[in-house]
Amino acid sequence: MTKADIVETVHEKLGLTKKDISKVVDEVFDAIRGNILDKNNVKISGFGNFEVKKRGRRIGRNPKTGVETVIEPRTVVVFRPSQIFKDEVND
């Protein structure tokens, strides 16, 4: 699903203009992105959580050659679906 698909779906349900819906969708994504970039977690009730986590330095291995290499520390974003969402997916 693309952003255009989201705009189209909301347009069909609410009947607002696609231009207005596109602005709202952009603002929602910008708010989520901004909070994640500020290293804040984002919780969307009934959907899930976007969590900012720090991964430490570790030793990795190239599966093709078997050569060990150092993987530097980094910050990652992890999505954890809510229990409600998990239950809906598994039904």
Side-chain angles (χ1 to χ4, degrees):
M1 176 175 248
T2 65
K3 186 175 97 173
D5 294 333
I6 293 170
V7 170
E8 181 64 33
T9 301
V10 175
H11 169 71
E12 290 172 2
K13 291 189 179 209
L14 299 181
L16 301 172
T17 66
K18 289 184 182 180
K19 184 177 179 180
D20 290 341
I21 294 168
S22 181
K23 287 179 185 177
V24 171
V25 170
D26 284 339
E27 287 299 321
V28 169
F29 288 155
D30 287 344
I32 292 170
R33 183 182 302 110
N35 275 281
I36 290 172
L37 291 175
D38 290 339
K39 309 240 186 303
N40 297 321
N41 294 338
V42 177
K43 297 180 181 190
I44 303 173
S45 180
F47 184 69
N49 301 329
F50 293 93
E51 299 175 1
V52 179
K53 293 194 166 200
K54 293 188 183 225
R55 301 277 188 216
R57 184 176 182 189
R58 62 189 175 94
I59 302 295
R61 186 183 317 267
N62 182 329
K64 188 173 183 179
T65 63
V67 175
E68 290 186 348
T69 185
V70 174
I71 300 173
E72 295 299 325
R74 60 188 175 169
T75 303
V76 296
V77 178
V78 178
F79 175 73
R80 293 181 185 252
S82 71
Q83 190 60 49
I84 295 169
F85 189 31
K86 286 181 190 178
D87 293 342
E88 288 175 349
V89 169
N90 288 314
D91 282 346

